[in-house]
Amino acid sequence: MARPKAAFVCSDCGAEHGKWQGQCGACGQWNTLREVVVAKTQRGAAVGYAGGAARAAKLRDIDSSEDARIPSKFGELDRVLGGGFVPGAVVLMGGDPGAGKSTLLLQVSVALAQQARVLYVSGEESLQQIAARAERLGTPPEDLTVVSETAVERVSELVQVERPHLVVIDSIQVMHVQSSDSLPGSVTQVRESAAQLVRLAKQTGVVVVLVGHVTKEGNLAGPRVLEHMIDCLVMLEAPPGSRYRTLRGQKNRFGAVNELGVFAMTDAGMKEVSNPSAIFLQRPEQMAPGSVVTVTWEGTRPLLVEIQALVDDVQGAHPKRVAIGLDAQRLAMHLAVLHRHCGVSLADQDVFVNVVGGVRIGETGADLALLAATLSSFRNRALPRSLAVFGELGLTGEVRPVANGQDRLREAGKHGFTCAILPHANRPRRAIAGIEAIPVGSLGQALTAIAELPER
Ligand code: TYD
Ligand code: MG
């Protein structure tokens, strides 16, 4: 008989190693590797749809009609999920403690329970606490079944009995499998609990939503071991000090990723923000130097955000390039383009840029705005309040088109912007009422266009 195989799993990030070492090679933490014995049963039972003996079939003979999705009653959540919950899918909602995961999922559960069977499993709060929270949310939880439980076996039994359409597990980190003897909260327990719940979802068709807390390093505890098991990973992010929450899809087997949903945390729970452009744009009447609005593209819709820059005499041995909400490497690259192609050197200046409202921009459409804000601060000259700027910048100083240029322009017009600097290739064929498009083909042209804007 083969010896049980030993593996060493990092209790912080969940990475697996073949032998013990003092530092986890994946996340760099010290003394986090714990020995786990990989049970024999676990090896054979890979997580997947295989319920019984596998049977091969022709792909064309398989009924591919997707079961009807279950809308969550929250448009912003549905957007991120790609149109609602898919029966049998496992969704992992990650986020910092206090982001509002429990609040949002309780609201979803209460709303859905009016039409479907929902089981809300809390391992972190007592039933009284859940009831008190539901009361505070102002939604009478008429038909919601709640249970305070941490044993996965009990949850499985309940699912077999209650036959819910949706199960919320708050949180996966406190769940444990009774038959496993590793410590509750350990990576092994989290992984085994998740594996059993995934199997349950695939066998019964119930939607399973797992809540996962994020560690201080920004990793979901045991994420790498969970990520390949689950169908969707959505992250609820709470920018420090902001009441707004963004929900971002990071993995989705049934839809697009990188959709962004926006919520606001209020006294009565999470409220959807269906017009997010408006909230990130609260600017003073009198514009200060270093600020400009760009139109980025998030998933399937445009989003107006303000980019701020501060340029100041260098304060150390090396000039600082700090970017929050944007890629600092891109900032450094664009400053090089600015120097090489337009002769503006910021070598003796510190440059800080920030995207207001805690938004993170992961696309290139903000390139031009980033430099516009930087130069505005450097020259201490405010840009007009009614100006929007977007476009990608190439290394040869050319301004490249971005996807959905017309929609971006229209979004800016809708929010009262009267003028936009944009890539030449994105110029509108027909004028868009209320907004003047200033197409530019190079960074030099963009700087000229900005210089010629009326000062206000
Ligand atoms: P919670 O949902 O418990 O966060 P998580 O489950 O992600 O850890 O949210 C807790 C925070 O939200 C807490 O700081 C209080 C705040 N909150 C409100 O502002 N309004 C509300 O109606 C509720 C229920 C919570
Ligand atoms: Mg919680």
Side-chain angles (χ1 to χ4, degrees):
M1 202 179 83
R3 249 176 358 118
K5 195 170 154 253
F8 296 86
V9 173
C10 171
S11 60
D12 233 46
C13 73
E16 220 173 272
H17 302 269
K19 61 178 173 47
W20 190 86
Q21 53 206 50
Q23 186 183 25
C24 171
C27 70
Q29 285 294 312
W30 288 92
N31 289 326
T32 52
L33 294 202
R34 304 275 176 276
E35 179 168 3
V36 296
V37 175
V38 180
K40 266 197 301 180
T41 49
Q42 204 186 327
R43 304 199 62 198
V47 178
Y49 280 82
R55 194 168 52 85
K58 290 270 185 280
L59 190 56
R60 62 163 187 270
D61 297 336
I62 301 169
D63 181 13
S64 68
S65 59
E66 202 180 275
D67 288 334
R69 285 184 184 249
I70 308 172
S72 68
K73 306 264 183 140
F74 282 80
E76 293 294 293
L77 175 58
D78 287 345
R79 167 192 293 285
V80 176
L81 293 173
F85 295 110
V86 175
V90 180
V91 178
L92 175 62
M93 182 180 286
D96 287 317
K101 303 179 294 296
S102 305
T103 307
L104 179 60
L105 289 173
L106 185 59
Q107 285 177 274
V108 169
S109 301
V110 169
L112 263 182
Q114 290 168 357
Q115 290 163 355
R117 289 185 299 279
V118 181
L119 176 65
Y120 186 96
V121 182
S122 180
E124 301 194 340
E125 288 160 348
S126 68
L127 296 182
Q128 285 79 3
Q129 284 171 315
I130 301 170
R133 189 196 292 254
E135 201 156 294
R136 179 172 171 182
L137 299 175
T139 33
E142 298 237 322
D143 287 315
L144 178 61
T145 313
V146 291
V147 58
S148 187
E149 183 59 71
T150 56
V152 174
E153 286 90 344
R154 281 281 303 138
V155 174
S156 290
E157 280 166 27
L158 273 169
V159 168
Q160 308 288 353
V161 175
E162 304 266 335
R163 288 269 155 202
H165 298 97
L166 176 83
V167 184
V168 175
I169 309 284
D170 190 0
S171 66
I172 187 63
Q173 273 112 345
V174 298
M175 298 309 282
H176 72 279
V177 176
Q178 282 164 330
S179 57
S180 161
D181 47 8
S182 36
L183 287 174
S186 67
V187 172
T188 325
Q189 278 288 8
V190 170
R191 177 167 55 179
E192 284 181 16
S193 302
Q196 289 215 5
L197 290 164
V198 169
R199 227 169 289 139
L200 182 72
K202 302 309 173 200
Q203 281 164 1
T204 63
V206 61
V207 179
V208 175
V209 181
L210 307 173
V211 171
H213 295 295
V214 174
T215 63
K216 57 187 184 305
E217 287 77 31
N219 292 324
L220 278 170
R224 276 167 232 167
V225 289
L226 293 190
E227 219 177 308
H228 73 275
M229 296 183 196
I230 52 153
D231 299 304
C232 304
L233 172 62
V234 296
M235 295 293 288
L236 188 64
E237 288 167 17
S242 167
R243 67 192 194 94
Y244 293 108
R245 305 285 187 263
T246 55
L247 187 68
R248 208 179 269 276
Q250 295 198 343
K251 166 180 177 177
N252 192 348
R253 285 189 178 147
F254 311 111
V257 284
N258 282 328
E259 278 287 359
L260 182 77
V262 183
F263 295 86
M265 180 60 97
T266 69
D267 288 346
M270 297 274 269
K271 290 262 172 351
E272 294 186 75
V273 177
S274 41
N275 182 8
S277 286
I279 60 164
F280 297 119
L281 280 187
Q282 284 151 8
R283 294 180 302 155
E285 274 306 311
Q286 195 60 47
M287 291 287 293
S291 157
V292 74
V293 164
T294 190
V295 196
T296 94
W297 195 261
E298 287 290 346
T300 52
R301 62 180 166 181
L303 180 68
L304 290 167
V305 283
E306 179 184 350
I307 295 188
Q308 293 188 342
L310 178 70
V311 179
D312 195 17
D313 294 340
V314 65
Q315 296 295 325
H318 303 286
K320 287 198 183 67
R321 273 81 181 95
V322 178
I324 299 173
L326 285 158
D327 185 358
Q329 304 259 26
R330 280 195 89 76
L331 171 63
M333 191 168 88
H334 295 331
L335 293 178
V337 174
L338 183 67
H339 179 227
R340 178 70 175 70
H341 294 286
C342 301
V344 181
S345 169
L346 299 183
D348 55 353
Q349 303 285 319
D350 287 338
V351 180
F352 304 88
V353 288
N354 178 36
V355 184
V356 175
V359 183
R360 259 189 305 114
I361 299 182
E363 57 124 30
T364 53
D367 289 355
L368 208 50
L370 181 132
L371 280 187
T374 303
L375 277 178
S376 163
S377 172
F378 181 53
R379 298 194 166 136
N380 202 26
R381 181 171 179 262
L383 294 166
R385 197 168 188 274
S386 55
L387 171 74
V389 178
F390 63 87
E392 179 180 331
L393 192 59
L395 284 182
T396 61
E398 86 276 22
V399 172
R400 305 167 57 84
V402 293
N404 310 96
Q406 309 282 298
D407 294 313
R408 294 186 203 227
L409 190 60
R410 231 171 273 126
E411 178 79 359
K414 221 165 62 189
H415 286 87
F417 289 82
T418 56
C419 142
I421 294 178
L422 78 179
H424 199 264
N426 283 128
R427 71 193 181 285
R429 314 254 175 286
R430 259 181 289 128
I432 292 177
I435 184 159
E436 182 198 354
I438 306 176
V440 293
S442 67
L443 181 59
Q445 284 176 15
L447 298 194
T448 312
I450 289 173
E452 286 169 357
L453 288 168
E455 190 147 5
R456 269 204 298 139

